Amino acid sequence: MGFRGLPVIGKELCEADCRRCADACPTQAIDVDPVRIDLGRCIMCGDCAPVCPSKKISYSSQFQLAATSRDGLVISQARPRPDPVKVSQALHRRFGRSMKLRSVSAGGCNGCELEVNALTNVNFDIGRYGIDIVASPRHADGLILTGPITLNMALALQLCWDAMPEPKIVIAVGACAISAGLFENAAGVERSFLERFKPTLFVPGCPAHPLTMVCGILDLLGIES
């Protein structure tokens, strides 16, 4: 199977009182009347498309899905793509030539973590833009957060953040980091960190594609690819 990226909400009319797509969604990412999909919850499983009798939902290979606001991840027929990433001139001035990122897996399944690791390989090579993944939070300008933030990782995540020098940003990568995904409301999840420190960039996916991350970070920093 090829890459399943941006969902496409077609112009076809839904059948009266039909909720099959929403009922099939394991993360409650779909609302109806009108049909809306929250990419921050969507795990790109594709279960919604085959159950839709009018074939209103399909999937494309579009990987540019990142947004700088949580609300910007909600798409509909009227707004078929996430809101464009807003360039931060302040971040561009400070980090436009060099940015160091520390990755923390806060209870993830290792899917997004593997894709974060791929950022530095020869295919995606984010280092050519002056962006590197570093081993110590003391050297980091930004935190790449993956996973839903489990109880046993909440303190470790906070300690990592506290060790990072100012100014610093949070980049939430994957459905689990953005909304807790399949683990929303689970007893073993503790997400107060994101209430205290709002992400500057949201990178949806399950797992998030390396190109989604690369394009989102470059757009945020105003770096031309």
Side-chain angles (χ1 to χ4, degrees):
M1 184 186 72
F3 170 66
R4 186 182 290 127
L6 178 68
V8 177
I9 302 174
K11 297 180 180 179
E12 296 81 1
L13 295 177
C14 293
E15 292 188 0
D17 300 321
C18 180
R19 288 187 48 84
R20 295 183 193 178
C21 60
D23 292 341
C25 180
T27 57
Q28 299 179 326
I30 302 176
D31 289 325
V32 297
D33 196 25
V35 174
R36 299 178 302 279
I37 301 176
D38 182 353
L39 298 181
R41 292 175 175 268
C42 181
I43 59 171
M44 308 296 182
C45 64
D47 287 355
C48 54
V51 301
C52 177
S54 61
K55 306 300 180 185
K56 189 174 181 66
I57 299 177
S58 59
Y59 285 83
S60 71
S61 58
Q62 175 55 252
F63 55 81
Q64 290 179 288
L65 308 175
T68 39
S69 72
R70 182 67 182 86
D71 292 341
L73 293 176
V74 180
I75 64 169
S76 63
Q77 183 181 328
R79 187 169 72 173
R81 299 179 63 126
D83 288 350
V85 171
K86 296 179 181 177
V87 177
S88 170
Q89 293 301 326
L91 293 178
H92 174 73
R93 287 193 298 271
R94 186 171 292 271
F95 303 124
R97 297 180 64 183
S98 175
M99 188 177 201
K100 309 302 180 185
L101 300 171
R102 170 63 175 161
S103 175
V104 174
S105 173
C109 71
N110 210 36
C112 286
E113 292 78 6
L114 284 171
E115 303 301 335
V116 170
N117 288 340
L119 291 176
T120 60
N121 68 24
V122 296
N123 293 309
F124 305 106
D125 192 17
I126 199 171
R128 62 186 147 153
Y129 302 108
I131 302 168
D132 299 299
I133 309 294
V134 295
S136 170
R138 296 291 188 189
H139 303 156
D141 307 305
L143 170 69
I144 293 182
L145 172 63
T146 56
I149 313 182
T150 56
L151 284 168
N152 64 336
M153 281 301 298
L155 177 58
L157 175 63
Q158 185 66 56
L159 290 173
C160 177
W161 177 256
D162 292 343
M164 293 169 56
E166 297 282 356
K168 51 191 174 182
I169 65 171
V170 178
I171 300 174
V173 172
C176 284
I178 295 172
S179 68
L182 290 165
F183 305 99
E184 186 176 17
N185 299 321
V189 169
E190 209 291 283
R191 292 178 58 78
S192 62
F193 176 86
L194 291 176
E195 296 173 5
R196 298 189 300 273
F197 309 105
K198 301 295 184 183
T200 300
L201 184 67
F202 299 89
V203 184
C206 186
H209 196 285
L211 285 177
T212 309
M213 291 183 251
V214 171
C215 291
I217 294 170
L218 294 187
D219 289 345
L220 177 68
L221 299 179
I223 299 174
E224 294 185 6
S225 58

